[in-house]
Structure formats: structure tokens, C-alpha cells
Amino acid sequence: MMGRARAVVSQISGRRAAVARQALSIFCLRRESLMAEPLLMTTEITIPAGTATLAGALTLPEGAHTLVLFAHGSGSSRHSPRNQFVARTLNNAGLATLLFDLLTPNEERIDSYTAEFRFNIELLAARLSYATKWTREQANTRELDIGYFGSSTGAAAALVAAAEFPDVAAVVSRGGRPDLAGDALPKVEAPTLLIVGGKDEVVITLNEQAQREMCSEVKLEIVPGATHLFEEPGALDRVAKLATDWFLRHSDAAKSARQRTGAKPSSLPHS
């Protein structure tokens, strides 16, 4: 009887030891995973934009060499959960991000009633240009390459700004209206990725029209089963993955080109 009891106790102790070893192993794996992630530092900033002041959030992973500026869509802001999700994915891949409001709080209040600013592409593009120039004046961002991520009408603003700044490394549009960029489309030199939901048929057509007008490298990626806001399970993950791969590929290409020529990252005008 005593021998059987000792055997049972030994078995229980063995199971506990195995569980403890497994828990320690999981803890170590999680710790290693956390240590492997880039060190993130997010700073709340303000951007002077003519007579306006725009609020934003700048995230700089350690060792980042590309900064992606987000241009949000109609009726949205820097707090867009979709853009924040994409930004976190970019950060985890070592890319810096700047999410900022294209409109002031007062303009947002007016726009919520009149919708008079959200389709003012000229104004939105000008605000993105101000933000781009601002990054060139900051010690911690002036050496970084620039990318644009635009959603809805913000995609048009991103393309208009990219036409102004030909050394923008890459542009990504999510459910965007690139057609609203108009005459700027043929002037865009940055490689551009247009991401549209498979069920967003009208926007697919508008993106195809814009694609035909562009002279730079441009790719249309359709996410099967997704609607305009990519709310379906896995749809936004797919957007984030596509955007991350696009920015990494083209920022690496820009970096390699600079190494061959000895050029500095960017020389955007400050006027």
C-alpha cells in the first residue's frame, strides 16, 4: 500500500514538474518574442499647417529608416481604429508612423454637419504636405524616407502630395478614392498599391480607372469577400500585411539606391 502511495505521489510530482517546465518554456518564448519586437516610442505632437494646428501621434521603432504618414478618410481622424491597427502592424515590422488629424477640431465639427471639408482634396493634400515638411524639420525624422498610407478621400490627398514630393518612397491606398487625385495621377512617381475590398464594386471600378491614368509602378490588390471598411474577419489583417510588405520592399529599394549613389534620404522642399 505504501509503495503504491509513493508511486502515486511520484506521478503527481512528475506531472507538476512537467506543467512547471511547460509554463516556464511558454514564459521564455513570450519573453523572447517581446524582446524581439522593436522598441516603440509614441509621442503626441502638433503640426503647424498655415493658420491651423494639427494634432498627431508619432511612433518611432528603434532603427526605423522609413516613416509612413497616414491620411485618414472621410469623417475620420487620427483615432481611426483601422488605421491604428495598420500602424501597429507597420511598427512591429520596424516602420515609423505618423497618424495625425487632417482637420482642426473646429473644422471637424463643421464637417460633421456640412461634409464640406472631407472631399476638399486640395485642402487635405496641403495638410499632408505641411506634415511632410514638418518631419523634415525634426531631428529624429529628417533622415527617414517617407511613405504615405491613405484611406478613402485621404488616398487622393496622399497621391496629390506624392506628386508634389517625387522622392516619396511608396504609397498605399486602402479602400481609397484615387480617382479624386485628378490631374496629379500621371505625375506620381512613387510605387503605389491600391487595396480594395472584393465586394466594394464601385470603388474597384474607380481604382481601375485611376490605375490606367498612372505612369508609375501601380498594383491593384483586391481582398476577396471584403466590403469597403474591411470589417470581415481577417480582411484588415490582409490589408496590414499587404501594406507592410509594400513599404518594406520599396523602402529597402530606396535605401539600396542611396547606397549606390551616396545620396541622402530625402530633400523635400521647405517652402
Side-chain angles (χ1 to χ4, degrees):
M1 179 69 71
M2 290 295 296
R4 188 179 305 168
R6 290 194 189 95
V8 170
V9 170
S10 177
Q11 288 176 358
I12 294 173
S13 299
R15 291 194 195 100
R16 286 176 177 170
V19 169
R21 285 194 299 271
Q22 184 178 21
L24 179 61
S25 176
I26 292 172
F27 171 79
C28 290
L29 285 172
R30 286 178 178 170
R31 183 171 180 270
E32 289 174 4
S33 175
L34 289 171
M35 291 175 65
E37 290 183 0
L39 177 63
L40 301 183
M41 180 181 69
T42 299
T43 306
E44 295 296 318
I45 53 92
T46 55
I47 301 169
T51 58
T53 300
L54 310 175
L58 176 67
T59 303
L60 290 170
E62 187 175 358
H65 57 77
T66 298
L67 171 63
V68 179
L69 281 70
F70 279 69
H72 58 73
S74 306
S76 188
S77 71
R78 72 185 189 279
H79 300 298
S80 161
R82 295 173 184 82
N83 280 354
Q84 288 189 352
F85 177 84
V86 174
R88 286 195 298 271
T89 304
L90 297 179
N91 295 151
N92 289 334
L95 295 161
T97 56
L98 173 58
L99 292 94
F100 70 102
D101 293 335
L102 293 172
L103 301 177
T104 66
N106 186 53
E107 289 169 341
E108 287 179 359
R109 281 192 291 271
I110 295 171
D111 187 70
S112 66
Y113 291 102
T114 67
E116 64 185 89
F117 295 121
R118 65 185 64 183
F119 285 97
N120 187 338
I121 305 303
E122 182 179 357
L123 172 65
L124 302 182
R127 297 287 171 81
L128 182 54
S129 295
Y130 274 115
T132 303
K133 294 170 186 175
W134 179 86
T135 68
R136 289 290 157 259
E137 298 167 354
Q138 311 308 309
N140 56 352
T141 56
R142 64 166 62 117
E143 297 298 323
L144 302 182
D145 285 316
I146 292 294
Y148 291 150
F149 183 95
S151 306
S152 189
T153 54
L159 289 167
V160 172
E164 179 185 355
F165 302 129
D167 48 2
V168 167
V171 176
V172 174
S173 162
R174 171 182 66 82
R177 289 292 308 276
D179 55 298
L180 296 177
D183 294 340
L185 288 173
K187 302 174 185 176
V188 176
E189 297 182 19
T192 300
L193 176 64
L194 308 173
I195 307 174
V196 188
K199 293 185 177 179
D200 200 5
E201 296 178 0
V202 173
V203 175
I204 290 175
T205 300
L206 295 173
N207 275 253
E208 289 173 339
Q209 292 172 358
Q211 182 181 26
R212 289 193 291 270
E213 295 181 37
M214 298 181 69
C215 302
S216 62
E217 177 189 352
V218 57
K219 181 178 181 181
L220 176 61
E221 191 78 46
I222 297 176
V223 179
T227 51
H228 185 64
L229 295 179
F230 297 90
E231 296 175 304
E232 295 71 23
L236 200 57
D237 297 85
R238 179 60 178 161
V239 170
K241 177 67 166 57
L242 289 168
T244 300
D245 291 347
W246 190 262
F247 284 123
L248 287 176
R249 177 155 67 91
H250 290 288
S251 61
D252 286 345
K255 183 179 179 182
S256 299
R258 285 198 311 276
Q259 290 173 342
R260 289 195 302 270
T261 62
K264 291 188 175 182
S266 188
S267 56
L268 300 176
H270 291 267
S271 58

